[in-house]
Amino acid sequence: MTQMTRREALTAGIAMATVGLEPLRADAAPAPKSDPSAVRVRLEVNGELRELSLDPRVTVLDALRDHLHLTGSKKGCDQGQCGACTVLIEGQRVLSCLTLAVAAQGKPIETIEGLSRADGALHPMQQAFIDQDAFQCGYCTPGQIMSAVACVTEGHAHSDGDIREYMSGNLCRCAAYPKIVAAIKQAKLEMERA
Ligand code: FES
Ligand code: FES
């Protein structure tokens, strides 16, 4: 039987992170009944309205991961230093570990799970990361991809230097930086054609 290499397994994992996901449910994980400080919070995540009962101190990252079970956005530092938790809110990249869920109400949130098309086709940025082998462990990759999409749509991907500057908030401990730059350049061409 053919053995899958580590690289093939990682590539498959990245693709699976964005396709074949269970549809988002309209239900919400309720806060414990014993939590007297819980408030109702309505979040629009990847085009779906989700209602949650949350402690008002819960961040968008924890709401996504712990309450909506959208674990694509990663918790690296939980203090705004690594970029692993990057999501788009109203099209702008945001560190979800520093953003309170109550403050994100009424604003569309896009996560890595919502980036692929309804038919399962990968976003050009996801495909470019695979094509350019732009990850090793993959932990930073969802944040890198969300930030990279914004980098292109902001018009900050005109040169390698531009890309490095405007992606500098996303750290990669595997140092895949040269390939991340190559992926963003590839995706930029695709995104401009679309
Ligand atoms: S987990 Fe948010 S910046 Fe590191
Ligand atoms: S691919 Fe490992 S941290 Fe970036």
Side-chain angles (χ1 to χ4, degrees), residues 74-78 80-83 85 95 97:
K74 296 294 184 271
K75 183 178 282 190
C77 64
D78 205 22
Q81 294 182 352
C82 72
C85 64
L95 297 174
C97 73

Side-chain angles (χ1 to χ4, degrees), residues 2-36:
T2 310
Q3 287 283 330
M4 182 181 270
T5 66
R6 181 173 174 275
R7 173 65 54 200
E8 289 166 343
L10 279 169
T11 300
I14 291 290
M16 286 176 64
T18 53
V19 299
L21 293 166
E22 288 185 23
L24 293 176
R25 299 185 306 276
D27 61 326
K33 285 196 171 62
S34 59
D35 184 356

Side-chain angles (χ1 to χ4, degrees), residues 33-186:
K33 285 196 171 62
S34 59
D35 184 356
S37 62
V39 295
R40 302 302 290 177
V41 178
R42 288 161 67 88
L43 297 178
E44 185 187 330
V45 182
N46 298 329
E48 296 224 6
L49 198 58
R50 308 294 299 268
E51 192 163 321
L52 299 167
S53 181
L54 299 175
D55 184 300
R57 295 165 296 182
V58 168
T59 63
V60 170
L61 180 61
D62 286 341
L64 292 170
R65 291 182 56 84
D66 299 341
H67 296 266
L68 296 177
H69 310 297
L70 295 172
T71 55
S73 305
K74 296 294 184 271
K75 183 178 282 190
C77 64
D78 205 22
Q79 52 185 323
Q81 294 182 352
C82 72
C85 64
T86 304
V87 300
L88 304 184
I89 298 183
E90 294 186 305
Q92 306 291 312
R93 41 186 160 173
V94 164
L95 297 174
S96 61
C97 73
L98 295 185
T99 307
L100 292 176
V102 290
Q105 295 185 93
K107 302 172 183 175
I109 301 170
E110 190 171 5
T111 73
I112 190 72
E113 290 91 346
L115 207 53
S116 58
R117 291 202 314 237
D119 65 2
L122 295 180
H123 185 281
M125 193 63 75
Q126 293 171 301
Q127 189 59 55
F129 267 66
I130 292 172
D131 293 346
Q132 298 293 336
D133 205 17
F135 51 87
Q136 289 186 42
C137 76
Y139 196 81
C140 73
T141 307
Q144 297 279 1
I145 289 176
M146 298 310 290
S147 196
V149 168
C151 184
V152 172
T153 57
E154 289 163 5
H156 290 143
H158 294 302
S159 67
D160 289 19
D162 254 6
I163 293 170
R164 287 196 199 95
E165 173 69 20
Y166 285 95
M167 289 294 292
S168 61
N170 289 81
L171 305 183
C172 175
R173 67 181 177 179
C174 301
Y177 298 114
K179 293 183 175 183
I180 290 171
V181 171
I184 294 173
K185 288 163 68 177
Q186 174 185 318

